Amino acid sequence: MSDVTATSTGHESGRKGMSEEWRARLTGSVASISLTFIIVVAVGWFWVGPKFLSFSNVSILGTFVIVPLVVGTFASVALLSGVVDLSIGSMVGLGSALFATFIAAGWDPASSAAVTLAICLVFGGINALAIVGFGAQPIAATLGSLVALRGISWVLVGQEGAIFAFNIDMFNLVGTTFLGLPALFLIAIGMALVAAFIVTKTQLGRHVQAVGGDDKAASRAGISVWKVRTGALLLSAFGAGLGGIIYAAQLGSAARATGFGLEFEVYAALMIGGYSILRGGVGNPIGGALGLLAVAGVSNILDLKAISPYFVDIIVGLLLLAAVLLDRLRGGDAFE
């Protein structure tokens, strides 16, 4: 009789655990942004028509979000570890200017990309030294990097305001399609999925969350806080540099405005997708990707309806406020 009771109790506990897990999933940040994304798609379908979901329009939208997706996926790792890297927009501009400079000087694309990423990693290391080594506030340190890197980019671009460096091989590479969609867009989505798996299913991901949630507790648990945050900042710089290379390859040039304001676009979308600027350990790369796609979808709808793009800022601001409110209603400290 006791065995039957124990078995029944075990089954009830299992069902209760599963129900709580599903309740958490359905009320969490990824569920919220998924619903928002579905609403954006529905509005586009009913207001714009079938054209909104046509391969040609989705291809255009995908091309538009490749760089924000790549940069956002890498930057979200730093955000999860408790570091806001405001320099990502300027790092994109620097990566674009460096790559274009090397191409214009006659370098091959592979060498140009390798040296560009190496230089971006050096500046990411400087950010890490300031923040992790000397304990500087991340926002203050990366704000300084934002200004300095933008200045370096402008020096590289020169008075002409642009570096023209069209390379047919790189142009064809970034323009490759698969099943009617940009291959780089699909790769960027794949990167977000891989990042989500690492964050939610691996020890490394749990360490990043732990450091972002409470670095002192993580340190007492034997986790190397400086290694996690240094690695996260290097990944953030690498992703931004890669975004700059993609921009230069797409456009065949680098300009002063390349990457300008991208940090605000990326972090607004990440917050809409469930991340927090004020504390680490909160967020999921899938939510971040959906946030970027939702914002891009809104912009695309207004563009197709010939409505002023300034309304995008209003809508994004409202979505951001809604995301903050939902975050507080959820308790503000749950990670999916």
Side-chain angles (χ1 to χ4, degrees):
M1 185 71 176
S2 59
D3 291 341
V4 173
T5 303
T7 303
S8 176
T9 303
H11 287 162
E12 290 178 1
S13 299
R15 286 194 296 270
K16 183 178 179 182
M18 290 179 64
S19 64
E20 289 178 351
E21 180 181 352
W22 278 104
R23 187 180 299 112
R25 289 179 181 273
L26 293 174
T27 58
S29 60
V30 173
S32 300
I33 187 56
S34 297
L35 178 60
T36 302
F37 178 72
I38 291 171
I39 291 173
V40 170
V41 173
V43 169
W45 175 267
F46 288 109
W47 193 15
V48 177
K51 178 182 178 182
F52 178 70
L53 293 179
S54 66
F55 271 102
S56 60
N57 188 59
V58 174
S59 179
I60 293 172
L61 189 148
T63 301
F64 177 75
V65 300
I66 289 170
V67 172
L69 271 175
V70 171
V71 175
T73 298
F74 282 92
S76 68
V77 177
L79 198 55
L80 274 178
S81 73
V83 176
V84 180
D85 184 2
L86 291 180
S87 69
I88 53 175
S90 294
M91 193 77 76
V92 167
L94 176 66
S96 177
L98 286 171
F99 183 75
T101 298
F102 296 142
I103 291 294
W107 289 29
D108 64 276
S111 299
S112 301
V115 175
T116 295
L117 292 174
I119 294 173
C120 289
L121 284 172
V122 169
F123 284 108
I126 293 173
N127 283 339
L129 179 64
I131 295 168
V132 180
F134 292 94
Q137 287 295 322
I139 291 180
T142 57
L143 182 61
S145 296
L146 180 154
V147 177
L149 294 178
R150 180 61 59 187
I152 295 172
S153 299
W154 282 30
V155 170
L156 289 173
V157 170
Q159 296 182 347
E160 295 80 8
I163 303 172
F164 298 98
F166 180 78
N167 182 278
I168 188 62
D169 294 329
M170 289 298 295
F171 183 78
N172 289 335
L173 179 63
V174 298
T176 301
T177 60
F178 180 74
L179 299 177
L181 296 175
L184 281 183
F185 171 64
L186 299 177
I187 291 173
I189 294 293
M191 288 170 55
L193 294 175
V194 171
F197 175 81
I198 293 173
V199 165
T200 59
K201 302 297 183 181
T202 69
Q203 185 181 60
L204 175 61
R206 289 191 290 273
H207 284 181
V208 173
Q209 295 174 62
V211 169
D214 189 336
D215 56 355
K216 292 183 176 60
S219 181
R220 288 195 295 270
I223 299 172
S224 178
V225 174
W226 77 267
K227 285 184 179 180
V228 169
R229 285 189 168 156
T230 298
L233 282 164
L234 290 175
L235 281 175
S236 182
F238 180 88
L242 184 59
I245 291 171
I246 295 172
Y247 265 150
Q250 285 177 328
L251 303 173
S253 64
R256 287 180 178 177
T258 303
F260 188 80
L262 184 66
E263 60 276 1
F264 300 109
E265 176 186 345
V266 168
Y267 281 120
L270 289 178
M271 289 183 68
I272 291 171
Y275 286 81
S276 173
I277 293 291
L278 299 180
R279 66 191 184 284
V282 179
N284 187 308
I286 293 176
L290 288 173
L292 284 161
L293 291 173
V295 172
V298 170
S299 177
N300 184 249
I301 291 170
L302 297 184
D303 185 50
L304 292 172
K305 297 298 292 185
I307 298 174
S308 172
Y310 293 113
F311 282 96
V312 175
D313 295 334
I314 298 174
I315 296 171
V316 170
L318 292 174
L319 288 174
L320 198 53
L321 290 172
V324 172
L325 177 61
L326 286 173
D327 181 52
R328 300 315 305 166
L329 291 175
R330 283 195 299 266
D333 56 2
F335 179 84
E336 293 190 85

